[in-house]
Amino acid sequence: MELERYSDSEANYLTCLDFFEKQHDRLGQAAVLGVLGTLFYKKGDYKASIDHYSRALNIYEELNQVQEVITCMKGIGNCYLKLNKLDEACDEFLECSAVCSDNNDIYNLLDCLGNLVLIHETQEKWDVVFELYKKTLKAFKEINDIRGIIVSYFNLGILLKEQQKDDAIRYFKKGTNLAIDSNYSELIIKGLSYVGETLFYLGRIKEAKDEFIKALYIAEKVAAKNAIIQINVLLKSFGLGKEDIKRELEMYKKARK
């Protein structure tokens, strides 16, 4: 299978499956069916992949093999995504999420939530996406994944930025403060930029400018060239010239001392 000799691989697996069937070895049958599901997925035959994953899933459910059940469900969901059957994929990942949650499998839960976000973003169901991001945030908190928590706060802010700007700022600031506490420079720059942009659209120009100056200070400190360019462009859109930006930056540095 690794050599992409799929016909030879399939023949070998079918021989194994025949053996396990003769031995009445249900676990062995399920294992081979699951691998065949993977093989057909790699071949791009997603209908055959679903069929084999489903047959494996039925056995694993009977034998109460939770991790294998989750693997098969994720495989089926991914096949439906490839077939662009988004409703079926959504149902599969929702059911898989419930199994993951019941068994405290946070990492696979995050995988399922990520796929559900992708589906609902495609369908532009933003209310559902927002709730999924909140669940993702909760999951990252359970495993203390700081970067994941920060990005989740930012994602929640982005979704609210157009309609509920005050709430958006709250999420952006939560993410930014956590990034500062954790010393994640690139996320600090990103968070300050989100806050500045939202303040600008609220008409709070001076506060927005101050956030961008802070972001520029950090970007220069860590030599983030692209961020430096982008922030300078944003500050110039405020009507600040090169010397104005330099002066604001010096004032900020002095205020920090």
Side-chain angles (χ1 to χ4, degrees):
M1 185 159 60
E2 292 300 320
L3 294 169
E4 298 183 4
R5 292 167 57 183
Y6 296 127
S7 295
D8 292 341
S9 181
E10 183 182 350
N12 284 321
Y13 283 130
L14 288 173
T15 300
C16 294
L17 182 61
D18 183 58
F19 170 81
F20 285 125
E21 284 175 345
K22 286 176 180 175
Q23 295 294 315
H24 303 290
D25 184 338
R26 299 282 282 159
L27 200 55
Q29 292 170 44
V32 176
L33 288 166
V35 178
L36 282 166
T38 303
L39 185 148
F40 284 113
Y41 183 87
K42 285 177 176 285
K43 279 179 68 174
D45 188 346
Y46 302 118
K47 289 182 180 178
S49 180
I50 289 169
D51 177 60
H52 286 83
Y53 275 133
S54 297
R55 288 167 65 191
L57 176 63
N58 289 337
I59 297 171
Y60 283 134
E61 285 178 333
E62 286 175 26
L63 300 176
N64 198 29
Q65 300 292 308
V66 175
Q67 284 303 310
E68 289 77 8
V69 165
I70 291 169
T71 299
C72 289
M73 294 176 87
K74 284 171 62 180
I76 293 167
N78 286 326
C79 286
Y80 280 131
L81 280 180
K82 290 289 188 181
L83 292 167
N84 202 33
K85 293 187 173 182
L86 299 185
D87 288 340
E88 289 87 342
C90 183
D91 290 342
E92 199 67 36
F93 286 123
L94 277 172
E95 191 174 345
C96 188
S97 294
V99 175
C100 294
S101 185
D102 289 344
N103 291 278
N104 201 32
D105 187 338
I106 304 300
Y107 292 100
N108 277 314
L109 174 62
L110 283 166
D111 275 349
C112 292
L113 291 173
N115 282 307
L116 287 166
V117 167
L118 176 68
I119 292 165
H120 288 100
E121 281 180 341
T122 303
Q123 296 174 331
E124 298 186 355
K125 294 180 178 178
W126 304 118
D127 289 348
V128 179
V129 173
F130 184 77
E131 292 303 318
L132 287 168
Y133 276 140
K134 284 170 72 174
K135 288 182 180 179
T136 303
L137 173 62
K138 182 182 176 184
F140 279 128
K141 284 181 176 179
E142 286 188 32
I143 58 173
N144 198 32
D145 184 327
I146 303 301
R147 184 176 288 271
I149 295 168
I150 294 166
V151 172
S152 295
Y153 278 134
F154 288 166
N155 286 335
L156 287 162
I158 290 165
L159 282 177
L160 294 175
K161 193 168 66 173
E162 296 303 319
Q163 302 297 328
Q164 300 175 48
K165 294 181 175 60
D166 287 328
D167 284 340
I169 288 175
R170 182 165 58 85
Y171 283 117
F172 288 143
K173 284 187 174 179
K174 280 186 175 184
T176 305
N177 290 337
L178 188 53
I180 292 167
D181 291 341
S182 307
N183 201 28
Y184 288 138
S185 299
E186 76 280 12
L187 292 176
I188 296 169
I189 296 164
K190 188 175 283 190
L192 289 170
S193 298
Y194 285 142
V195 173
E197 187 181 342
T198 311
L199 286 167
F200 176 79
Y201 287 116
L202 282 167
R204 293 156 64 178
I205 307 302
K206 185 182 181 305
E207 291 175 71
K209 181 221 25 166
D210 291 344
E211 294 295 326
F212 285 123
I213 290 295
K214 286 182 200 173
L216 182 59
Y217 168 76
I218 295 165
E220 289 190 351
K221 195 174 178 182
V222 299
K225 292 180 180 178
N226 288 338
I228 291 168
I229 293 167
Q230 290 169 9
I231 296 165
N232 270 293
V233 169
L234 285 166
L235 285 166
K236 285 173 183 175
S237 73
F238 282 48
L240 296 176
K242 189 175 180 180
E243 289 303 315
D244 298 319
I245 294 170
K246 188 176 178 180
R247 186 173 60 255
E248 290 281 352
L249 200 54
E250 287 303 318
M251 288 169 61
Y252 176 71
K253 288 177 184 177
K254 285 178 183 177
R256 282 179 57 84
K257 290 178 181 177

